[in-house]
């Protein structure tokens, strides 16, 4: 059986969960759910990034210890993901002992392999920012207080040694970063030249201690990246790590591409880990439209939108029009239109129409589909297009393909008008076909709208859940058995008004 290990970035606990975080997490969730449908052995990780200055500072501002700050915000991320139906298998916190052990082990390996050395760090230091800054930072006003020249002994990572190995790796594995524009960006960064980087701090102690020099802690990013290895047993269970690591896919926003696609693979190579992860890099979700323009994206909690759209409506709304890669403008009004068109009108109407007509013309008993239906080849094409799009990490394209099938089924009903015809085999065939489309759509769109898919499944009289099925085997035309009693119930998606 294939393995699929998918991760989100771990989120800083200085900030409450917002729609931008939710976007990344939903993408990782739908990919995990899709791979479970394929029958892959799937592991889905998310979590929180709890060390470093940002967290120390916001704790201080809130009158809390860093750990109290981390405890209270980490829980908010867990709750937010529960509210969105996120199906993660693990939730990691970088303050957990299992993580400290993995950080120390991985960086100790890099040190033992000769890739970490001590040197004086010379540069400008802003005490109020507790950070090394450049003259450009000062000139461009990014520094909040006076700067002084400082020199500190730090541990450095020989990133410069990985310039050529990384270029060779990406040349041989262009599929490692999706989409290609982001691969080109990473390669461009490497070609600009890689300097060694300081990976420890002595000025703070809120971090993982350097095992060979405990006055230092690792700088938060070099601690954070290792979470991905921690969670599949890097320090605790080497066999488990071997099993999962080669199948890793990191879903990230474009803002953290350099750390992930340049520094992280170099760290892995330095520690002797030759299998490098794949990356799906998405663009920025930007807020436009009237209703939300007054608030910044980072002040919109996912729960605010779930209240209006429901969980599935929200998940569908943020994925349907946002191709992975470029920035996407996202507006409340656009989400309402999408919801009404695709969910309330197309999918919702298909189900309620079919239930009503089966009630009237077939005594409520579902007919089976026609094996030679004109919808059969259309469905086969839609299934293939959906499978291909998920494979290409393109959820919006997958949804487009699946919903094309819904539109075709509605058109087929309208052409045949079973509500006008006398009961009989012709009516049965048309209704059976529509029920089969509903079964297929529940299966194919289930990763994005899981609760709806379950409801459709039950309403068309099927046992269990679409998640018990496998794609592509169970997505062949004709799997709907017929014979069940169909009840008319309230609309799946009530129409929304702006
Ligand atoms: N803690 C680091 C990541 C460490 S991973 C080893 C971090 N955390 S963060 O809380 O700032 O989250 C950043 C991620 O949140 C982005 O990479 C992106 O995935 C997501 N987003 C935050 N704002 C976003 C948008 N406006 N649009 C889309 N995604 C956004 O960086």
């Amino acid at each position: 059986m294939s393995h699929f290990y998918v991760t989100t970035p771990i989120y800083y606990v200085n900030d409450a969960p917002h729609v931008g975080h939710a976007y990344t997490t939903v993408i990782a969730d739908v990919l995990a759910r899709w791979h479970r449908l394929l029958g892959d052995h799937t592991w889905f990780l998310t979590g929180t990034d709890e060390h470093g200055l940002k967290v120390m500072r916001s704790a201080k501002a809130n009158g809390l210890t860093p750990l109290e700050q981390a405890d209270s915000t980490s829980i908010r991320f867990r709750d937010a993901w529960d509210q969105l139906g996120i199906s993660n298998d693990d939730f990691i916190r970088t303050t957990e002992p299992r993580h400290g052990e993995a950080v120390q082990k991985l960086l100790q390996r890099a040190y033992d392999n000769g890739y970490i050395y001590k040197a004086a760090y010379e540069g400008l230091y802003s005490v109020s920012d507790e950070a090394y800054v450049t003259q450009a930072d000062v000139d461009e006003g990014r520094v909040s207080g006076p700067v002084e020249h400082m020199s500190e002994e730090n541990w450095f990572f020989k990133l410069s040694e990985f310039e050529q190995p990384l270029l060779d790796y990406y040349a041989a594995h262009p599929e490692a970063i999706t989409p290609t524009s982001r691969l080109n960006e990473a390669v461009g960064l490497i070609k600009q030249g890689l300097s060694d980087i300081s990976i420890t701090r002595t000025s703070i102690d809120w971090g993982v201690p350097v095992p060979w020099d405990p006055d230092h802690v690792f700088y938060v990013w070099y601690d954070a990246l290792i979470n991905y290895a921690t969670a599949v047993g890097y320090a605790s269970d080497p066999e488990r790590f071997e099993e999962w690591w080669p199948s890793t896919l990191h879903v990230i926003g474009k803002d953290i591409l350099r750390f992930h696609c340049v520094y992280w693979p170099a760290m892995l190579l330095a520690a002797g880990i030759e299998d490098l992860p794949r990356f799906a890099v998405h663009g920025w979700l930007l807020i436009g439209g009237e209703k939300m323009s007054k608030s910044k994206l980072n002040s919109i909690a996912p729960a605010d939108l779930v209240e209006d759209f429901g969980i599935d409506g929200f998940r569908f709304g943020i994925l349907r029009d946002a191709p992975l890669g470029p920035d996407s403008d996202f507006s409340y009004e656009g989400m309402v239109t999408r919801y009404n068109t695709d969910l309330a009108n197309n999918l919702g109407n298909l189900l309620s129409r079919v239930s009503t007509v089966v009630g009237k013309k077939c005594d409520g008993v579902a007919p089976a589909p026609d094996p030679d239906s004109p919808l059969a080849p259309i469905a086969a094409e839609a299934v293939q297009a959906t499978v291909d799009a998920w494979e290409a990490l393109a959820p919006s394209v997958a949804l487009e393909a699946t919903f094309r099938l819904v539109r075709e089924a509605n058109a087929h009903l309208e052409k045949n008008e079973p509500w006008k015809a006398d009961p009989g085999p012709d009516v049965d065939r048309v209704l059976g076909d529509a029920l089969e489309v509903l079964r297929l759509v529940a299966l194919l769109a289930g990763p994005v709208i899981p609760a709806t898919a379950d409801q459709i499944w039950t309403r068309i009289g099927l046992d269990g859940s679409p998640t018990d099925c496998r794609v592509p085997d169970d997505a062949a035309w004709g799997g709907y058995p017929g014979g069940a009693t169909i009840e008319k119930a309230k609309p799946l998606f009530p129409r929304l008004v702006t």
Side-chain angles (χ1 to χ4, degrees), residues 11-12 29 58 78 306 337 342 353 363 369 379 431 441 449:
Y11 303 105
Y12 287 129
D29 184 62
S58 66
R78 272 181 199 265
V306 166
T337 307
D342 283 359
R353 259 172 164 179
D363 295 329
L431 292 172
V441 169
I449 48 173

Side-chain angles (χ1 to χ4, degrees), residues 44-113:
F44 170 21
L45 173 73
T46 186
T48 42
D49 189 355
E50 308 190 351
H51 288 132
L53 267 176
K54 268 190 199 245
V55 174
M56 270 181 77
R57 285 223 195 96
S58 66
K60 204 166 165 203
N62 296 330
L64 300 171
T65 65
L67 190 58
E68 285 168 348
Q69 165 80 29
D71 285 345
S72 62
T73 312
S74 185
I75 253 307
R76 295 180 68 178
F77 276 94
R78 272 181 199 265
D79 290 347
W81 304 153
D82 282 348
Q83 279 168 13
L84 293 182
I86 301 300
S87 64
N88 54 299
D89 297 292
D90 192 0
F91 186 102
I92 193 166
R93 300 183 54 184
T94 52
T95 46
E96 291 173 64
R98 63 169 170 160
H99 180 60
E101 284 160 25
V103 170
Q104 292 192 331
K105 178 173 168 184
L106 194 140
L107 289 163
Q108 179 77 52
R109 288 261 163 93
Y111 176 72
D112 294 344
N113 290 341

